[in-house]
Amino acid sequence: MGSIGRASKALKSSKNIYLHYISSILSPLSPIHRPNPVHSFPDLHHFNWSYHAYCSHSRNHSSKDVAIDLSQYPTDRVRNFSIIAHVDHGKSTLADRLLELTGTIKRGHGQPQYLDKLQVERERGITVKAQTATMFYTRNFEGTDTNYLVNLIDTPGHVDFSYEVSRSLAACQGVLLVVDAAQGVQAQTVANFYLAFESNLTIIPVINKIDQPTADPDRVKKQLQSMFDLDPIDALMTSAKTGQGLDQVLPAVIERIPPPPGKNNLPLRMLLLDSYYDEYKGVICHVAVVDGALRKGDRISSAATGQSYDVLDVGIMHPELKPTGVLLTGQVGYVVSGMRSTKEARVGDTLQHYRSTVEPLPGFKPAKHMVFSGLYPADGSDFEALNHAIERLTCNDASVSIAKESSTALGLGFRCGFLGLLHMDVFHQRLEQEHGIHVISTVPTVPYMFEYSDGSKVQVQNPAALPSNPKSQLKASWEPTVMATIIIPSDYVGAVITLCSERRGEQLEYSYIDRYLASDLVKLDILLNGQPVDAMATIVHRLKAQRVGRELVEKLKKFIDRQMFEIIIQAAIGSKVIARETISAMRKNVLAKCYGGDVTRKRKLLEKQKEGKKRMKRVGSVDIPQEAFHELLKVS
């Protein structure tokens, strides 16, 4: 049999899914026009390689097309959680490992920090946009497998993007608070903790990077307990880089974080979390279904604008867009509804079924713009291109305020409000990288308030709007200030006070939170037969002295062996004994050799034994085992 014959016989025994592909190759080769097998397939091994490569591609493609039935995941099997932390404490790396553990992405495939999709995020090594990924996790408990749908939201760590964090937390019932085992608790750790705490979310502390040589997990545990009142026992010890301890994360999420509180039988209510613009689909909205269910083909309306839309596509991020045709209560996913204008997708809006009446969801706290800057096209003729790019970009970043303005020197432009200098810098970089727009930005300023002699008050964001010599009309002026509480190590107090004074800061209060305070302390001595044991002395508060002393002497009584003489264990403050225990002496029968005789002989032996015990008690030593010291440490 020739090469074609052997190949055809092998193909006939393969799965039917590949027959169409093979027939499409062989069908043009009729028996009359079929070329010589030697010229057609000079290398059968090459043919087999091509065949197997196609098989592998088909399997991967078919696995991606498997439909996901979300009805298998009722509300009690749904968990929504976010990862929050300070900058560079390992949020995105931990998210990668969780996606790999659940099979959502393949290990080694794709880029590191998979959820950091923007070019600016890749270049700067920071997270700018919160990203959502749906994972399917099977947990085996007592021999029974239970399937869970887990929505993971990776959030930024820099303070300028705290608005992204607040939007993410609105869709969650719990968070993983990641802390670097070497760096410990830092500024955004504190800020993000209180964002989650104010939202009444379950907080699971995760101490990451425990594989580092400078890691000190015990110190970080104490920080978490002293600053946030988090139990050190609840902290998970992980290393997202090596994979150590990651098998504890998802079980902790399932056990500690409650399911979404929504109701299936109520009318549809969805919270619009985020949106971005796609050139082919239009505005894609990320939503969290609070109540009810959403299906493809439904007609929905916006509570904020009143406009209605047909649901063209609905699904989950797994981690890319995965159509499911439905989103049920408590689930997080995306909706394509034909929105074409960025003004229609208002972040924090409530989406509902058309002509249904529901109570709007609370949404988010409004963003507070700290820095204002003018943006102008480098070429004056590119104003429309800049306008179009800013509209697209503000759909991704709702925390930017935009207002048109004109300048004598630069022409038409925009006055933009940002949450900080990094936020402004990232926005400029995204305009250039994602939209190819070259801009000129003015010096960043903060808003000021001016009052004139006629009683009018004007807020000025652009210095050009203020007259150069307004003294004849100006009555008063105000600048923005903040009431700040700064918690720093004592080594940096001087430098920070200098920095605040240079910014005309006024110091209202200065105190040490980890220094000495007045307290009623006493020395608690442990005495054995009246002799103090210096290794067991301790300093305690006077109110706790009696309880601690009683516990100590009881522990010692259990672990000190009996001697030939009586041992008295006492706890004392100065000359005052506050607790006592007695270990009775071992008794030797000195009368065993006396089988008869006068009673005075027996009494003489007993008196001699009594005197010997007194002498032993006076000059003898008590052996204290090592276990006794360990028990005393546990008590203290």
Side-chain angles (χ1 to χ4, degrees):
M1 185 180 292
S3 301
I4 295 181
R6 287 194 297 270
S8 301
K9 184 176 181 180
L11 293 174
K12 289 179 182 178
S13 62
S14 63
K15 295 183 179 179
N16 294 333
I17 191 171
Y18 310 118
L19 290 180
H20 177 70
Y21 173 76
I22 299 303
S23 62
S24 67
I25 296 177
L26 298 180
S27 58
L29 305 177
S30 63
I32 298 176
H33 300 92
R34 183 173 298 162
N36 190 303
V38 176
H39 298 289
S40 302
F41 303 102
D43 187 359
L44 182 61
H45 176 71
H46 174 74
F47 175 79
N48 289 335
W49 174 84
S50 302
Y51 164 69
H52 289 304
Y54 176 75
C55 294
S56 175
H57 172 74
S58 299
R59 283 193 295 268
N60 292 336
H61 182 71
S62 62
S63 65
K64 292 181 181 178
D65 291 340
V66 174
I68 297 175
D69 184 9
L70 294 184
S71 62
Q72 298 180 1
Y73 302 94
T75 308
D76 60 342
R77 293 189 183 180
V78 176
R79 298 293 186 273
N80 300 320
F81 74 98
S82 181
I83 302 180
I84 58 176
H86 188 77
V87 180
D88 199 30
H89 278 208
K91 301 178 304 298
S92 299
T93 306
L94 178 60
D96 280 0
R97 299 291 86 78
L98 296 180
L99 292 174
E100 292 170 357
L101 284 174
T102 56
T104 308
I105 62 174
K106 290 184 178 180
R107 184 173 182 84
H109 289 256
Q111 60 188 14
Q113 286 78 45
Y114 186 86
L115 295 180
D116 290 344
K117 301 180 183 298
L118 301 179
Q119 183 179 348
V120 64
E121 294 177 318
R122 312 295 308 163
E123 293 177 356
R124 292 175 178 259
I126 61 174
T127 301
V128 172
K129 286 290 296 177
Q131 298 290 344
T132 303
T134 299
M135 305 179 293
F136 298 97
Y137 174 67
T138 301
R139 185 189 180 212
N140 184 281
F141 183 72
E142 297 181 352
T144 303
D145 287 340
T146 306
N147 297 323
Y148 291 90
L149 186 150
V150 182
N151 289 306
L152 160 67
I153 303 177
D154 183 27
T155 61
H158 197 279
V159 65
D160 282 15
F161 306 102
S162 58
Y163 188 66
E164 290 284 330
V165 179
S166 65
R167 287 156 50 183
S168 302
L169 298 185
C172 299
Q173 286 74 50
V175 297
L176 297 180
L177 180 65
V178 179
V179 184
D180 191 314
Q183 301 293 332
V185 174
Q186 292 185 277
Q188 282 305 109
T189 313
V190 179
N192 289 332
F193 168 82
Y194 284 108
L195 281 177
F197 185 76
E198 291 171 2
S199 301
N200 198 27
L201 302 182
T202 300
I203 300 173
I204 302 176
V206 178
I207 300 178
N208 194 28
K209 302 185 182 181
I210 60 174
D211 60 306
Q212 291 188 349
T214 57
D216 190 357
D218 293 334
R219 177 179 64 89
V220 178
K221 286 182 180 180
K222 293 178 181 178
Q223 289 180 339
L224 292 173
Q225 186 175 27
S226 61
M227 299 187 69
F228 307 137
D229 198 24
L230 294 176
D231 194 336
I233 299 177
D234 296 334
L236 304 180
M237 313 297 292
T238 66
S239 170
K241 182 179 179 180
T242 65
Q244 182 179 352
L246 295 184
D247 56 340
Q248 307 172 9
V249 176
L250 288 177
V253 169
I254 299 299
E255 293 173 4
R256 304 187 199 177
I257 297 178
K263 303 295 182 182
N264 297 319
N265 54 356
L266 293 180
L268 173 68
R269 286 199 305 171
M270 294 190 303
L271 183 62
L272 180 54
L273 301 173
D274 200 359
S275 62
Y276 66 94
Y277 189 82
D278 184 88
E279 291 293 338
Y280 302 100
K281 296 183 178 180
V283 178
I284 298 179
C285 301
H286 289 186
V287 297
V289 180
V290 178
D291 294 315
L294 175 71
R295 290 176 172 81
K296 183 178 180 180
D298 288 354
R299 189 166 182 81
I300 59 175
S301 63
S302 165
T305 65
Q307 297 184 1
S308 59
Y309 312 92
D310 290 324
V311 177
L312 306 177
D313 189 17
V314 60
I316 59 176
M317 285 73 74
H318 186 56
E320 306 302 330
L321 300 184
K322 175 72 175 178
T324 60
V326 65
L327 280 179
L328 304 177
T329 303
Q331 297 174 358
V332 178
Y334 73 91
V335 175
V336 179
S337 59
M339 293 182 182
R340 291 296 173 183
S341 171
T342 56
K343 298 178 181 178
E344 300 177 49
R346 297 187 179 181
V347 174
D349 190 8
T350 299
L351 301 179
Q352 60 197 27
H353 276 138
Y354 182 58
R355 290 182 177 176
S356 68
T357 303
V358 296
E359 182 181 355
L361 296 165
F364 315 107
K365 293 182 179 179
K368 294 182 179 179
H369 302 104
M370 304 294 182
V371 175
F372 291 85
S373 175
L375 290 183
Y376 297 88
D379 186 347
S381 61
D382 293 339
F383 175 77
E384 289 301 326
L386 176 61
N387 185 21
H388 181 76
I390 287 180
E391 282 188 357
R392 295 290 182 263
L393 199 52
T394 51
C395 181
N396 282 349
D397 191 353
S399 58
V400 180
S401 67
I402 303 294
K404 291 183 179 180
E405 70 173 8
S406 62
S407 168
T408 305
L410 301 175
L412 292 176
F414 298 90
R415 173 64 49 170
C416 303
F418 304 97
L419 302 181
L421 293 176
L422 176 62
H423 186 204
M424 181 185 71
D425 193 17
V426 167
F427 190 84
H428 292 175
Q429 188 172 344
R430 293 184 65 186
L431 277 176
E432 294 182 359
Q433 292 179 346
E434 299 176 24
H435 300 278
I437 304 297
H438 297 284
V439 297
I440 298 174
S441 60
T442 62
V443 177
T445 62
V446 296
Y448 298 93
M449 187 70 70
F450 295 91
E451 182 180 1
Y452 293 93
S453 56
D454 60 356
S456 61
K457 292 183 179 180
V458 179
Q459 186 184 56
V460 177
Q461 299 173 357
N462 186 356
L466 189 67
S468 300
N469 187 20
K471 293 185 178 180
S472 59
Q473 302 176 359
L474 187 62
K475 181 180 179 180
S477 58
W478 295 270
E479 64 178 346
T481 57
V482 295
M483 180 75 72
T485 301
I486 305 176
I487 303 175
I488 51 173
S490 57
D491 297 341
Y492 302 98
V493 170
V496 171
I497 290 180
T498 302
L499 176 65
C500 293
S501 61
E502 290 175 353
R503 299 298 189 273
R504 303 189 311 280
E506 180 182 351
Q507 181 176 314
L508 301 179
E509 183 182 359
Y510 177 78
S511 62
Y512 289 95
I513 60 175
D514 57 351
R515 293 299 177 95
Y516 301 104
L517 295 176
S519 182
D520 188 8
L521 302 177
V522 294
K523 179 184 177 182
L524 181 64
D525 287 312
I526 300 298
L527 309 177
L528 295 180
N529 287 341
Q531 297 297 320
V533 182
D534 57 352
M536 293 186 177
T538 183
I539 298 175
V540 297
H541 194 277
R542 186 180 298 275
L543 297 178
K544 297 170 58 179
Q546 189 170 6
R547 176 180 62 83
V548 173
R550 188 180 302 110
E551 292 178 359
L552 292 177
V553 297
E554 289 175 356
K555 289 286 185 181
L556 281 175
K557 182 180 180 181
K558 293 180 181 179
F559 286 92
I560 294 179
D561 296 330
R562 294 176 65 189
Q563 306 288 332
M564 296 300 296
F565 52 89
E566 183 182 68
I567 302 175
I568 299 174
I569 308 172
Q570 296 171 314
I573 300 175
S575 59
K576 180 182 179 182
V577 176
I578 60 174
R580 168 177 171 153
E581 290 289 342
T582 302
I583 300 177
S584 58
M586 296 176 62
R587 183 175 181 275
K588 180 181 179 181
N589 188 5
V590 294
L591 303 179
K593 59 183 179 180
C594 298
Y595 296 102
D598 190 11
V599 69
T600 56
R601 184 185 175 193
K602 296 180 179 180
R603 187 174 294 128
K604 184 184 294 184
L605 290 174
L606 292 173
E607 289 295 332
K608 186 177 179 181
Q609 183 188 43
K610 185 177 180 181
E611 291 296 328
K613 285 181 180 273
K614 288 182 179 180
R615 185 171 61 254
M616 290 176 64
K617 183 177 180 180
R618 185 171 63 252
V619 300
S621 61
V622 180
D623 184 23
I624 304 177
Q626 192 69 27
E627 292 81 0
F629 287 95
H630 292 320
E631 290 299 318
L632 290 184
L633 290 175
K634 291 180 182 179
V635 172
S636 59

